[in-house]
Amino acid sequence: MEKIKVFAPASVANLGCGYDTIGFAVESIGEELTLTKRNDSKLVIDEILGADLSKDPDQNVATIAIKALLSQLASDQGFDISIQKFFKPGSGLGSSASSASGAVFAANELLGNPFSRNELLPFALEGEAFASKCYHADNVAPSLLGGFQVVRSYEPLDLFQISTDIELKVLIIFPHVQIKTAESKKMLPSEVSVSLARNQWGNVAALIHALHDKDYSLLKRSIEDFIAEPVRSQFIPFYDDVKQIVDEAGSVGFNISGSGPSMFALFRDDGGVETAIDKIENLYLNSDFDFSLYRTSIDLQGCRII
Ligand code: HSE
């Protein structure tokens, strides 16, 4: 194979209480990457549509991730790369992760699959780390592998997929302000008390159980985050209003997507989503903020050839 086009999904990281440890991939939102083998060892980004990102191979997460993969193989294969983004970097939906994941997935396919999907994670993480200034895998893991992914440990890297067939409607609310993950991480407390950590541990354990057992009431109670949400929600326009609207519309979970500004709300049925959309549209239309709403669901596939 000389050329390949892949889709890499966007992702919702943290899932409330699971800071840097839990994330899920979202259906239909994401980006397309086209890779073509070159006859030399260059990595050339020909085109980036839908986002204003660097084409310098040393400054783009896609090529940084591919370089990590090629280095492990001691390969000097070059690629031409085109990227079409369908969502905005800095929106809290894992833009750097989808680029890094899609790039290594595509390169691996063109090289005859020397690595399994799981083995691609450290390479995708190199790209993510360049953008976020931190090795966090709660976006790259779901983007690459699909479903709900949990990072049990970073050293060594140890992940698992939450075994669940829970059906959830997902509403993403994106007020058009940009929040950089690297900046947002710096604002979080470097230490937390044992009593706060105890509340967080309880919620994380309960959240995993709720997803596995399809216990919607427990899901709603346990998604609350005591560490990042109180800090980050202050930078998200109308966070408390949106939270109240989705609550009244019957959501079974709500929180910040990644480091924001996007928020996600989980519902059991379309009726709740529609009620929430009407009210959120009114809220932002009466303000100075542009916004986007995405109706989606959990993506189970992760990166795929298209
Ligand atoms: N886990 C990361 C954070 C996700 O919350 O900083 C960023 O998308």
Side-chain angles (χ1 to χ4, degrees):
M1 200 174 1
E2 295 299 309
K3 182 175 182 178
I4 193 169
K5 190 173 186 182
V6 305
F7 177 79
S11 51
V12 168
N14 299 331
L15 199 48
C17 55
Y19 176 71
D20 276 2
T21 54
I22 310 178
F24 67 82
V26 293
E27 185 64 48
S28 307
I29 312 169
E31 66 186 77
E32 293 173 2
L33 297 98
T34 305
L35 264 68
T36 311
K37 275 186 182 169
R38 291 177 61 93
N39 293 325
D40 58 26
S41 59
K42 289 187 185 145
L43 296 178
V44 179
I45 301 178
D46 296 321
E47 177 174 66
I48 302 176
L49 300 173
D52 185 17
L53 294 169
S54 175
K55 289 186 188 168
D56 178 343
D58 292 324
Q59 301 292 323
N60 187 288
V61 298
T63 34
I64 288 169
I66 292 173
K67 277 186 192 184
L69 180 153
L70 292 173
S71 163
Q72 179 70 26
L73 286 175
S75 166
D76 61 359
Q77 177 65 56
F79 296 104
D80 284 316
I81 300 145
S82 302
I83 300 172
Q84 164 85 67
K85 286 222 172 244
F86 296 108
F87 68 110
K88 289 259 174 293
S91 58
L93 292 167
S95 167
S96 44
S98 56
S99 276
S101 302
V104 293
F105 175 77
N108 192 49
E109 288 284 339
L110 286 183
L111 293 167
N113 286 309
F115 298 106
S116 68
R117 273 193 196 234
N118 274 297
E119 287 170 341
L120 292 174
L121 271 166
F123 311 131
L125 258 182
E126 289 298 329
E128 176 68 285
F130 175 79
S132 305
K133 312 292 176 233
C134 164
Y135 285 84
H136 71 91
D138 51 339
N139 287 113
V140 286
S143 185
L144 193 55
L145 306 167
F148 290 92
Q149 299 288 335
V150 179
V151 188
R152 188 203 65 80
S153 154
Y154 277 90
E155 288 177 21
L157 194 57
D158 182 6
L159 297 102
F160 69 91
Q161 176 155 0
I162 303 175
S163 165
T164 179
D165 57 359
I166 195 167
E167 283 187 23
L168 290 166
K169 318 280 177 191
V170 182
L171 176 62
I172 305 284
I173 306 109
F174 167 39
H176 292 192
V177 292
Q178 198 186 45
I179 293 179
K180 291 211 159 122
T181 296
E183 298 302 316
S184 176
K185 278 188 175 299
K186 282 188 216 157
M187 291 180 204
L188 299 183
S190 54
E191 292 178 2
V192 296
S193 67
V194 170
S195 62
L196 187 148
R198 182 180 65 176
N199 293 340
Q200 194 87 357
W201 291 325
N203 268 358
V204 172
L207 180 67
I208 308 288
H209 181 76
L211 288 169
H212 181 263
D213 261 28
K214 296 188 255 184
D215 183 334
Y216 296 95
S217 164
L218 185 63
L219 173 61
K220 182 164 182 157
R221 296 201 303 282
S222 59
I223 211 161
E224 186 180 5
D225 169 36
F226 300 102
I227 296 173
E229 185 186 5
V231 178
R232 290 173 164 175
S233 57
Q234 301 169 50
F235 300 94
I236 300 178
F238 298 109
Y239 186 81
D240 291 336
D241 302 84
V242 174
K243 191 171 187 170
Q244 188 177 340
I245 287 172
V246 299
D247 186 45
E248 287 169 3
S251 76
V252 292
F254 170 82
N255 217 290
I256 302 168
S257 178
S259 55
S262 287
M263 298 156 267
F264 69 93
L266 308 174
F267 290 89
R268 294 187 68 173
D269 57 60
D270 288 321
V273 178
E274 273 149 33
T275 305
I277 286 177
D278 280 350
K279 292 189 175 164
I280 294 167
E281 278 178 346
N282 271 333
L283 177 73
Y284 282 110
L285 286 172
N286 287 317
S287 78
D288 290 335
F289 291 99
D290 285 334
F291 66 100
S292 305
L293 300 177
Y294 302 99
R295 287 177 77 146
T296 179
S297 55
I298 313 297
D299 174 276
L300 297 174
Q301 287 184 70
C303 290
R304 62 260 204 184
I305 301 169
I306 52 175

